[in-house]
Amino acid sequence: MGSRRRRSGSFSFMEEQPEEKEEEGELQWPFGRLDALGRDELRESAYELFVACCRFSQGSSGRAPPSRHPADGGDSGGKAGAGIMSSTSRVKGALGLRARPAAPMRTMVNSGSPVLLPSAAGTATALSPAGKPKQRPMTSAEIMRQQMGVTEQSDTRLRKTLMRFLVGQVGRQAETIILPLELLRHLRPPEFADSNEYHRWQRRQLKILEAGLVLHSWAPCDRLNSSGLRLREILTASEVKSIDTSKHSEAMRTLCNCVMALAWRYQNATPVEACHWADGFPFNIHLYLSLLHSIFDLKDKTVILDEVDEMLELMKKTWATLGINKMIHTVCFTWVLFEQYVRTGLVEPDLMGATLAMLDEVANDAKRPERESGYVKVLLPTMASLKAWAEKKLLDYHEGFEKGGRIEMMDDVLCLALSTAKIISEETSSNASVGMLVKDDTGGDANDFSPRNCVERFIRASLKCAFTKAQEKRNGKVDSRVVDEEDPHEGLIKLAKETEELALSEKENYSPLLKTWYPNPTAVAVVTLHSCYGAVLKQYLLKTSVLTNELVRVLHTAGNLEKVLIQMAAEDSVGTEDGGKVILSEMIPYQVDSIIFNHIKRWVDDRQRMARGCFNRAKETESWNPKSKSEPYAESAVDLMQLAKMTVDEFFEIEEEAKDELGRDLADGLDTLFKEYCSFAATCGSKESFIPALPPLTRCNQDSMVAQLWKKAAAPCTVGADPGLVLVCRPSPAPGDSTTNHRHTASRGTQRLCVRLNTLHYILGCLDTIDKSFSSHCSPLPSHRHFDGAHSSIHSVILHVAEIAAYRLIFVDSSNSFYDSLYFGSVYHARIHPTLRVLNQNLTYLTSVLTDRAQPPAVCEVMKASFGAFLMVLLAGGSRRAFTRGDYDMLVEDFMGLKQMFLGCGKGLVAEEMVEQQAEVVEGVLALMRLPTEKLVEDFSIAACEASGLGRSLERVPMPPTTGRWRCSDPNTMLRVLCHRNDDAANRFLKKAFELPKRR
């Protein structure tokens, strides 16, 4: 892979390593930036410091004292066997690191041979004067040179320079020497391959001095410090060409003065015992880490060299100069182990194990009271970086540790996160001022590092991430928590299934590992998933206002998911302190049943409001005209019933068992609306408004108008032997009379009443269909029938409207040929035949505009109205109608014709029993008209006295009240027959008993 781009705000030795794998996850560099120095410059300067410190520890003679770990390999005059490495590493054994695979022993020529030839890995050969190579084992210092990539030419030049410098410096300590300055003083351009190489080398030494003395010095350096300013001027001057570093040059003298002043300056007015040019933070850590990175095999970056013990022992010699102690070394070594683990792609678990082992030592060191002030500067940023990396993995462990072998790695990462968190927590709790050194970018509380709280946070965060990714995958978009796809219903159902699978996967794969640190991890996981799905469900419900079967399916799926999650949480919480009460209390119920019920109720209410609106519009605009010839009923009723039927059909299409109660509410609401519509249809008046007012009771007399007409009439004809039966013949109606018109006489008002009847029967038919739907889907309550009130109301209103239509047809539309003309003047000349003809025409028209279901009750009411009108003619016909006993046969014949018209009016329109039942009243009244006057007077007197409570006393006959219900036993009916009886006996009785006036 290509070299990595340097990240802003961090510096890493992982840069510019094309042969290494891309690290998994960003590991933040905790030690600050050194902008002026590159990686190679630091590495070369670190090696120079390493060699110098080793040389000074041996003394000016350059010979290694007897030691188990020789400082370096010496020069060509050293012992051939000096520095042979131990085959077993104590450090690797303590850290549990595996041994390196067997390889040829690292060897080197025994003496300074003039020609070096490359050999196998870890070896070097030289040709002797005889041409035969001589080999010896490599020392730790020689291995360091190879590991740090320093050429033999540079190493030789460095060692020779140090040898010259050490002459006469017996006993001098390394920490009292400013190495870059001494190298500048003793190395000359001729010792380099060319001037450019020397210039680059000189620039590096000057930048090292600037970094150690000014930019990252041990003691704070004022930016206006004169020595610092002069050093920067020299550094600036060296950009174009090398400065003169000869012994007597002005530039060299200035450089020495300012460097010495800066390196030996006091801090807090306390004299220093050593110069400080490489022990400022973080410059010293950068140099030391450059050395520590050399412990890894160049061919297998996951392996630590077996010579690590001796190498670390040599690096220890730099501690005094770098201002490092064992505690700081432990932190740095921990960092290097873990950084290498990340750099190599997390493939070597031994490196993670070594890191965890070193963290135990770090934790112990952090508890010690005797610590240098600079230790915390190294400790906390390092721990924070390790913690941040681990938590970033754990906050989405479903992505970082997929099912399989990587789950085992999760345990190590979890230990890393908790160990570093504990160290940081203890450090910050004991020293609040260092809290600013810890930066928590993981979203958690920087002061809450308890293992239980950390693990709970990891579970919740990772489950949220996994859920969000599942949702984004389903929606095909990133960073979306809103359902916005073509079929959101199906998406929510599938998301619920994936959520359940995610919960089961968590329980099977991750919870067993997490249970070590948390008592009920599965419960926390399912509570988190429950909350996540609940949030999506809530957004979905906010966007879904229409009740559909898809919505019901989504809610049922959510309810089933909730049951599964609650069961898993309850099972995982068994045996915990509170039995899982606290964690389960976080699961806010979806309330699926309540949501479904409320949606259905809201839907029912909306539909009922729509129906109510339709009814209100009908009350304002309905004119009771037929919608069309094929639909002879009111348009408002069609709209209302179509809406009701559609509502009921859609309601029962909803796949929800809990809708029975709302079904009854819907039925009750529609029932009320239908009853109100019926009441609206019934607002068409009453039959009393069409019945003529009863004329005052009078008595017939010889001087009455009737008598005068009789005088002008033809001679009477005797019928039968009874002299009282006299038939008077009357002239025919004049031409142009309404009785000669052969067209129907039904008015527009009667037609609108017929539309009302059709409408009511249409509603009744639709209501039967709707009632069947309810009966087939939900059972009615005991002793209750769906739409019972509407059925009763409709039947009542049908009779009411039919009655009004019939009375209007008879007393208004047919009045000219019926009440106003029948028997007008005389029975003989005003028979019923013209009336029957008009009635027949009107009935024919009536049946043509009425629907089949509306015809029977309408014709039946017409029959009743006709019979009533016939009785009105006989009993309340006014002063221009008078009857004799001789009119009886003609009256009976006429009534039989009227009755026969209804008996033959279509098949089954009026039942014969109904006709006969209604005819009995008329026939009873006709029977009174056949009685002799004396008999009629006697029967009337008895009936009137009995009705008034006087018994059969005939001394004084009371005036019977007018009831309007004509029948043969009714005293008022008998009285009216007497009032219309044209003979002297009736006249005398009425005058004597009631003093009734004569007709005018």
Side-chain angles (χ1 to χ4, degrees):
M1 299 181 65
S3 62
R4 291 181 53 81
R5 177 171 54 90
R6 179 175 297 182
R7 298 183 182 272
S8 176
S10 63
F11 179 87
S12 176
F13 284 95
M14 293 181 285
E15 299 171 1
E16 301 178 4
Q17 294 290 340
E19 74 280 6
E20 295 177 2
K21 296 182 180 179
E22 187 88 5
E23 67 268 23
E24 294 194 6
E26 180 180 1
L27 180 61
Q28 291 293 329
W29 179 260
F31 305 116
R33 297 179 55 179
L34 300 182
D35 296 328
L37 291 168
R39 173 178 176 272
D40 291 338
E41 291 175 320
L42 281 169
R43 176 177 50 80
E44 292 172 0
S45 296
Y47 181 74
E48 291 172 350
L49 176 62
F50 169 78
V51 173
C53 290
C54 290
R55 282 289 185 179
F56 278 102
S57 66
Q58 294 175 354
S60 59
S61 63
R63 303 183 65 87
S67 174
R68 182 171 178 269
H69 305 296
D72 61 12
D75 56 17
S76 58
K79 293 182 180 180
I84 298 177
M85 300 299 106
S86 172
S87 60
T88 303
S89 169
R90 177 178 52 84
V91 173
K92 294 181 68 172
L95 297 179
L97 295 170
R98 61 185 174 90
R100 187 177 57 177
M105 180 180 293
R106 297 176 181 268
T107 58
M108 180 62 72
V109 293
N110 190 38
S111 60
S113 303
V115 181
L116 288 175
L117 299 178
S119 181
T123 65
T125 61
L127 294 178
S128 66
K132 295 181 180 181
K134 296 182 179 180
Q135 297 183 343
R136 62 174 175 81
M138 295 178 64
T139 64
S140 298
E142 291 168 340
I143 295 174
M144 282 290 294
R145 179 188 63 77
Q146 288 187 348
Q147 290 293 109
M148 297 191 71
V150 177
T151 63
E152 282 196 39
Q153 180 182 5
S154 299
D155 182 59
T156 302
R157 182 175 59 234
L158 173 63
R159 291 176 183 276
K160 289 181 179 180
T161 303
L162 292 175
M163 287 295 295
R164 291 197 301 268
F165 171 70
L166 286 174
V167 175
Q169 301 288 336
V170 178
R172 188 171 181 180
Q173 300 298 317
E175 57 268 25
T176 62
I177 298 173
I178 306 173
L179 180 62
L181 180 62
E182 298 302 334
L183 293 177
L184 287 171
R185 293 171 60 182
H186 292 85
L187 270 175
R188 298 291 179 263
E191 298 183 60
F192 292 85
D194 52 44
S195 59
N196 290 332
E197 182 182 0
Y198 174 74
H199 186 205
R200 288 194 299 272
W201 176 85
Q202 186 186 81
R203 283 280 300 170
R204 174 169 63 83
Q205 301 299 337
L206 292 174
K207 287 195 291 183
I208 289 292
L209 289 173
E210 181 194 32
L213 296 173
V214 179
L215 300 179
H216 306 284
S217 59
W218 168 72
C221 181
D222 185 7
R223 63 185 182 89
L224 299 180
N225 183 281
S226 59
S227 297
L229 292 176
R230 287 195 300 271
L231 177 59
R232 287 180 172 176
E233 290 174 0
I234 296 172
L235 182 62
T236 302
S238 67
E239 292 179 358
V240 179
K241 64 177 182 178
S242 303
I243 63 172
D244 183 7
T245 58
S246 61
K247 185 176 181 179
H248 302 291
S249 70
E250 182 65 25
M252 191 62 194
R253 186 165 51 253
T254 303
L255 177 62
C256 289
N257 292 336
C258 66
V259 167
M260 296 299 290
L262 290 171
W264 290 94
R265 71 183 183 274
Y266 294 175
Q267 182 184 21
N268 299 327
T270 302
V272 295
E273 299 178 356
C275 61
H276 298 276
W277 67 272
D279 53 355
F281 179 85
F283 178 57
N284 58 342
I285 302 300
H286 282 257
L287 290 172
Y288 191 61
L289 291 179
S290 297
L291 296 175
L292 287 177
H293 276 94
S294 64
I295 66 174
F296 298 102
D297 195 328
L298 295 177
K299 292 186 176 181
D300 186 353
K301 296 298 182 68
T302 65
V303 177
I304 293 179
L305 298 177
D306 292 338
E307 298 85 358
V308 63
D309 296 35
E310 290 77 10
M311 295 172 69
L312 291 177
E313 188 68 24
L314 293 178
M315 294 178 199
K316 185 176 180 180
K317 300 180 184 300
T318 65
W319 288 4
T321 302
L322 294 175
I324 290 175
N325 57 22
K326 183 179 182 301
M327 296 170 65
I328 296 178
H329 161 78
T330 302
V331 175
C332 294
F333 191 55
T334 303
W335 167 261
V336 168
L337 290 173
F338 184 73
E339 183 189 34
Q340 193 72 6
Y341 173 67
V342 176
R343 290 171 63 186
T344 54
L346 315 181
V347 298
E348 181 50 72
D350 283 358
L351 290 176
M352 172 60 87
T355 301
L356 296 177
M358 290 302 301
L359 278 176
D360 291 339
E361 292 191 31
V362 172
N364 293 331
D365 289 344
K367 297 176 182 178
R368 295 179 180 178
E370 65 284 355
R371 302 182 309 182
E372 294 184 2
S373 58
Y375 174 69
V376 176
K377 295 181 180 179
V378 180
L379 173 69
L380 287 182
T382 304
M383 296 299 102
S385 180
L386 298 181
K387 173 177 173 288
W389 182 92
E391 289 195 348
K392 186 175 182 180
K393 302 284 285 184
L394 293 170
L395 290 171
D396 190 10
Y397 59 74
H398 289 83
E399 179 73 17
F401 308 101
E402 301 172 356
K403 291 183 293 185
R406 301 205 70 173
I407 293 183
E408 298 178 358
M409 184 197 306
M410 179 179 168
D411 191 28
D412 292 337
V413 177
L414 187 58
C415 291
L416 176 67
L418 298 180
S419 298
T420 53
K422 182 179 179 181
I423 294 172
I424 294 174
S425 176
E426 293 176 350
E427 188 65 31
T428 54
S429 62
S430 62
N431 189 357
S433 62
V434 302
M436 63 183 66
L437 298 176
V438 182
K439 182 180 180 182
D440 186 9
D441 295 328
T442 61
D445 185 355
N447 298 317
D448 187 7
F449 292 139
S450 64
R452 176 165 179 159
N453 292 340
C454 288
V455 172
E456 180 175 341
R457 182 161 56 93
F458 299 153
I459 296 173
R460 292 182 185 275
S462 185
L463 265 299
K464 287 179 182 178
C465 290
F467 179 87
T468 302
K469 289 173 184 176
Q471 183 185 355
E472 291 170 354
K473 180 180 179 182
R474 178 135 324 274
N475 293 342
K477 54 170 62 178
V478 180
D479 295 333
S480 172
R481 294 298 299 272
V482 182
V483 178
D484 187 15
E485 53 185 21
E486 292 183 2
D487 188 3
H489 315 289
E490 195 65 29
L492 262 293
I493 293 173
K494 292 180 179 178
L495 183 61
K497 182 179 179 181
E498 292 177 359
T499 302
E500 182 177 349
E501 293 174 352
L502 189 58
L504 294 174
S505 174
E506 177 75 15
K507 178 181 179 181
E508 178 182 352
N509 298 299
Y510 300 101
S511 293
L513 184 150
L514 295 170
K515 209 169 185 65
T516 305
W517 306 93
Y518 198 88
N520 49 345
T522 301
V524 175
V526 298
V527 166
T528 303
L529 291 175
H530 181 274
S531 175
C532 290
Y533 190 84
V536 177
L537 180 65
K538 182 178 180 180
Q539 293 186 22
Y540 165 79
L541 293 175
L542 290 175
K543 297 176 62 179
T544 308
S545 58
V546 180
L547 179 67
T548 60
N549 282 331
E550 288 78 9
L551 172 59
V552 175
R553 285 181 57 211
V554 168
L555 291 172
H556 279 311
T557 302
N560 294 333
L561 172 64
E562 185 175 47
K563 292 177 183 177
V564 172
L565 296 181
I566 291 176
Q567 180 66 24
M568 292 176 65
E571 291 176 354
D572 192 51
S573 300
V574 174
T576 57
E577 295 180 0
D578 61 350
K581 292 181 180 180
V582 174
I583 194 69
L584 290 174
S585 66
E586 297 183 22
M587 299 182 76
I588 301 175
Y590 294 160
Q591 297 180 336
V592 170
D593 294 337
S594 176
I595 293 174
I596 293 176
F597 181 86
N598 291 334
H599 265 76
I600 297 177
K601 188 176 187 305
R602 186 162 53 247
W603 182 88
V604 169
D605 292 343
D606 289 343
R607 289 307 179 94
Q608 288 186 344
R609 277 194 294 270
M610 292 172 61
R612 174 67 59 181
C614 181
F615 170 62
N616 291 335
R617 288 191 298 272
K619 290 194 295 185
E620 296 176 359
T621 61
E622 185 55 65
S623 60
W624 300 107
N625 290 318
K627 182 178 181 182
S628 64
K629 290 183 178 181
S630 60
E631 296 178 311
Y633 18 78
E635 185 173 2
S636 63
V638 176
D639 295 341
L640 179 62
M641 299 312 294
Q642 285 181 347
L643 178 59
K645 189 175 185 304
M646 180 177 65
T647 298
V648 172
D649 291 343
E650 292 181 0
F651 178 79
F652 287 115
E653 286 177 359
I654 300 173
E655 300 172 357
E656 173 55 38
E657 298 177 356
K659 65 177 183 290
D660 286 352
E661 180 180 350
L662 291 173
R664 287 189 289 271
D665 292 343
L666 176 61
D668 292 342
L670 293 177
D671 185 70
T672 300
L673 190 63
F674 295 152
K675 288 189 291 186
E676 291 183 15
Y677 191 92
C678 291
S679 299
F680 166 62
T683 56
C684 54
S686 63
K687 68 177 183 179
E688 285 75 16
S689 62
F690 302 117
I691 299 176
L694 296 178
L697 293 175
T698 60
R699 53 190 173 88
C700 287
N701 59 298
Q702 296 297 327
D703 297 330
S704 66
M705 181 63 69
V706 176
Q708 295 175 11
L709 290 174
W710 282 353
K711 294 178 181 178
K712 298 179 181 180
C717 301
T718 303
V719 180
D722 190 342
L725 296 178
V726 179
L727 180 61
V728 181
C729 297
R730 302 295 174 89
S732 300
D737 190 275
S738 63
T739 59
T740 63
N741 188 356
H742 295 283
R743 294 181 66 253
H744 72 83
T745 60
S747 63
R748 292 295 299 273
T750 304
Q751 296 176 28
R752 292 190 179 95
L753 289 172
C754 291
V755 173
R756 291 181 189 241
L757 283 174
N758 290 341
T759 300
L760 291 168
H761 281 282
Y762 167 75
I763 293 175
L764 188 62
C766 293
L767 192 59
D768 291 338
T769 302
I770 295 174
D771 202 2
K772 290 178 182 178
S773 296
F774 272 93
S775 299
S776 61
H777 289 91
C778 57
S779 301
L781 293 174
S783 304
H784 177 80
R785 187 167 64 95
H786 296 296
F787 307 108
D788 186 52
H791 276 94
S792 176
S793 179
I794 291 174
H795 285 295
S796 175
V797 173
I798 286 175
L799 293 177
H800 174 70
V801 175
E803 185 179 54
I804 295 174
Y807 273 77
R808 182 183 180 89
L809 182 70
I810 297 302
F811 288 100
V812 177
D813 301 341
S814 305
S815 61
N816 287 340
S817 61
F818 203 151
Y819 182 75
D820 293 345
S821 61
L822 181 63
Y823 306 144
F824 191 84
S826 71
V827 175
Y828 178 77
H829 289 94
R831 297 288 296 274
I832 202 170
H833 301 297
T835 302
L836 294 178
R837 185 168 57 251
V838 173
L839 282 178
N840 187 61
Q841 292 165 358
N842 286 341
L843 280 175
T844 302
Y845 173 75
L846 194 67
T847 55
S848 68
V849 297
L850 289 172
T851 61
D852 293 343
R853 296 185 62 177
Q855 290 176 14
V859 174
C860 182
E861 292 301 321
V862 171
M863 176 198 69
K864 293 178 182 180
S866 299
F867 290 179
F870 190 80
L871 288 176
M872 287 284 292
V873 170
L874 297 180
L875 302 175
S879 60
R880 295 191 179 187
R881 289 187 175 93
F883 304 97
T884 65
R885 292 180 61 204
D887 295 334
Y888 172 76
D889 290 336
M890 289 184 291
L891 294 174
V892 171
E893 182 183 352
D894 286 354
F895 180 69
M896 290 301 296
L898 180 62
K899 185 172 73 170
Q900 188 60 42
M901 183 182 68
F902 289 101
L903 287 173
C905 184
K907 292 184 178 181
L909 285 182
V910 184
E912 182 178 353
E913 294 79 4
M914 178 62 69
V915 176
E916 294 296 340
Q917 179 184 356
Q918 296 298 321
E920 286 180 3
V921 177
V922 181
E923 291 170 350
V925 174
L926 288 174
L928 293 176
M929 302 186 74
R930 186 179 184 181
L931 294 174
T933 301
E934 293 75 8
K935 176 64 175 171
L936 185 59
V937 170
E938 180 182 359
D939 291 345
F940 164 71
S941 299
I942 295 172
C945 290
E946 290 180 349
S948 63
L950 298 177
R952 289 182 173 268
S953 175
L954 301 178
E955 295 178 359
R956 181 177 176 275
V957 180
M959 173 67 75
T962 301
T963 62
R965 294 187 295 272
W966 318 121
R967 61 185 184 278
C968 60
S969 60
D970 176 44
N972 188 265
T973 302
M974 296 178 184
L975 177 61
R976 289 181 178 279
V977 172
L978 287 172
C979 289
H980 287 79
R981 176 68 62 88
N982 187 26
D983 62 21
D984 291 337
N987 184 48
R988 289 193 299 271
F989 172 77
L990 294 175
K991 180 178 181 181
K992 178 182 178 182
F994 304 110
E995 296 182 356
L996 294 180
K998 296 179 181 180
R999 295 185 178 182
R1000 300 295 180 185

